[in-house]
Amino acid sequence: MLLAADHVRLMARYNAWQNAQVMRAIDGVSRKVLTEDHGAFFGSILGTLNHILWADRMWLSRFDASTAPPETRFEQSTTLTPTGAAWSAERFTTDGRIKAWAGRVHSIDLTGNLTFYSGSVGGEITRPVATCVTHFFNHQTHHRGQVHAMLTRAGLSAPITDLVFMPEEAQ
């Protein structure tokens, strides 16, 4: 699989744009609504948003040696932040780190293999870097789709998710 640095930068900007829209969508929403179980894999809106944040930090620590992995385990990923406001602050910081990492990536960095410990499989795993980076961005999009459905179910305004509609200033 070939993956270009320009694509990684595009996906980092898309991720930040999507998360900024989610921040606006949950601003002022009660903790009760954000933590209500909607039957999704991670239960609630906030639980799912926390899991994405946790996973982004985990993957970023694998891609960028200067980034520390999250101090929590997968089982705690849904409780990383206690409120929508706390999530928004942490999300904003993490998106900045993702964009900074993406800005330093060269296409050659996206070749070869990445070996890392996976708690999901309980051991070390080796996969192509390009596959891991593609998974990183796909994982965000997948779970934000679940958040979109939960926002809609809760009667809240859900963000535009189409990459082609990302505004020029976000690009």
Side-chain angles (χ1 to χ4, degrees), residues 56-118:
D56 284 357
R57 289 176 173 175
M58 181 60 71
W59 278 107
L60 195 55
S61 75
R62 293 169 178 162
F63 302 144
D64 180 6
S66 70
T67 302
E71 294 180 10
T72 55
R73 299 170 47 101
F74 173 83
E75 297 81 20
Q76 302 161 311
S77 70
T78 60
T79 58
L80 194 61
T81 63
T83 65
W87 173 83
S88 292
E90 294 295 325
R91 183 74 258 179
F92 181 80
T93 299
T94 299
D95 287 345
R97 289 181 181 140
I98 292 170
K99 288 192 296 186
W101 163 75
R104 294 188 303 272
V105 166
H106 298 280
S107 293
I108 192 73
D109 300 328
L110 303 168
T111 62
N113 289 323
L114 177 67
T115 300
F116 57 93
Y117 177 81
S118 169

Side-chain angles (χ1 to χ4, degrees), residues 21-30 34 45-46 49 83-85 87-88 147 151 156-157:
Q21 290 188 94
V22 172
M23 287 176 208
R24 288 189 295 278
I26 67 168
D27 185 38
V29 174
S30 73
L34 292 178
I45 293 167
L46 186 58
L49 291 173
T83 65
W87 173 83
S88 292
V147 170
L151 289 169
L156 300 169
S157 178

Side-chain angles (χ1 to χ4, degrees), residues 28-57:
V29 174
S30 73
R31 188 176 190 302
K32 179 185 180 302
V33 170
L34 292 178
T35 59
E36 183 177 59
D37 189 341
H38 289 274
F41 189 80
F42 292 106
S44 69
I45 293 167
L46 186 58
T48 303
L49 291 173
N50 275 324
H51 171 74
I52 300 167
L53 177 62
W54 177 87
D56 284 357
R57 289 176 173 175

Side-chain angles (χ1 to χ4, degrees), residues 8-26:
V8 171
R9 286 187 273 283
L10 172 66
M11 294 312 295
R13 291 189 306 273
Y14 173 72
N15 172 63
W17 173 58
Q18 287 296 289
N19 288 328
Q21 290 188 94
V22 172
M23 287 176 208
R24 288 189 295 278
I26 67 168

